[in-house]
Amino acid sequence: LEARARAARYAALPDDVLTGHTADDQAETVLLGLAGLKMGALSRSWADIWAALFSASGDESLRYFVLHLRLPKVCAALTVGASLALAGTMLQNVLNNPLASPFTLGLSQGAAFGASFAMITLASTAGFGGVSLVALGAFAGSFFAALLILAFSLVRGMTPQGLILTGVALSTFFGAATMALQYFASDSQVAATVYWTFGDLSKGSWREAIMVG
């Protein structure tokens, strides 16, 4: 009933309000993407950035810098952000709870534990099929957390609110497990795991952007 009431309130909003919010979001996304192309250690004029994007003539080093270094990172940021938004929306609709997200359900912490396990215990950056072992470890950790959430959802009498609390408990558990790994790691390994949890687009390329997209 609550979900139906919320859907009815959303459907009752005027079309111009919904369209206005969508247009504003799209405009902000475009502006931030353009800012990402211009801002950085190397700052050039908008005319130079425009020429690098759409003109075959001009500074070849600038064209390479814009088309193969900055533009892939901007596209990767957009696809990653869209994926996180989609994941949060799906979880909120499935659980009928606005608090549901990969963070409150322990999926993000599970990924952090998997990545830390790969960096500290396995101490290797090799991978399979062009995917690094750290990325595979992060996927395995989040997938394992998702399986635990799915298993708890099968418990009789489990409610969406109960699943949220279970996810918070899993977040604490995986966070503690990650800190336990860091306790036995070297300084460089601890720095690498902490830096990974911050998120980084410095190694983003067209390959990563297309893979996420």
Side-chain angles (χ1 to χ4, degrees):
L1 294 178
E2 183 181 352
R4 292 180 181 178
R6 190 162 57 244
R9 290 195 299 268
Y10 183 81
L13 291 174
D15 292 338
D16 56 346
V17 174
L18 300 178
T19 305
H21 283 300
T22 303
D24 292 341
D25 293 339
Q26 292 175 348
E28 291 173 359
T29 301
V30 172
L31 290 177
L32 289 175
L34 292 175
L37 291 177
K38 188 178 187 301
M39 298 173 63
L42 177 63
S43 181
R44 301 292 291 268
S45 66
W46 285 113
D48 293 337
I49 299 297
W50 184 268
L53 287 173
F54 301 105
S55 177
S57 60
D59 191 347
E60 288 297 327
S61 61
L62 180 61
R63 278 179 53 82
Y64 179 85
F65 186 80
V66 172
L67 296 178
H68 297 281
L69 293 179
R70 283 192 177 174
L71 186 58
K73 292 177 176 59
V74 170
C75 293
L78 293 176
T79 53
V80 169
S83 299
L84 290 174
L86 180 61
T89 302
M90 292 175 62
L91 290 173
Q92 289 174 10
N93 280 275
V94 170
L95 295 178
N96 190 24
N97 193 314
L99 294 177
S101 72
F103 299 96
T104 55
L105 289 176
L107 305 182
S108 298
Q109 288 76 8
F113 172 75
S116 300
F117 184 85
M119 285 185 282
I120 296 175
T121 304
L122 302 179
S124 174
T125 58
F128 304 94
V131 181
S132 69
L133 196 60
V134 176
L136 292 175
F139 176 79
S142 61
F143 186 72
F144 179 67
L147 289 180
L148 290 177
I149 291 295
L150 180 61
F152 280 109
S153 69
L154 300 178
V155 176
R156 178 172 300 187
M158 179 62 70
T159 62
Q161 291 76 15
L163 281 179
I164 296 295
L165 293 177
T166 303
V168 173
L170 285 178
S171 299
T172 304
F173 170 77
F174 282 119
T178 302
M179 287 188 288
L181 287 175
Q182 293 173 346
Y183 180 80
F184 297 100
S186 63
D187 292 342
S188 60
Q189 289 175 330
V190 172
T193 56
V194 173
Y195 187 71
W196 187 92
T197 59
F198 289 162
D200 179 34
L201 292 172
S202 62
K203 297 181 180 179
S205 65
W206 284 118
R207 178 176 172 275
E208 282 75 16
I210 293 174
M211 183 182 299
V212 176

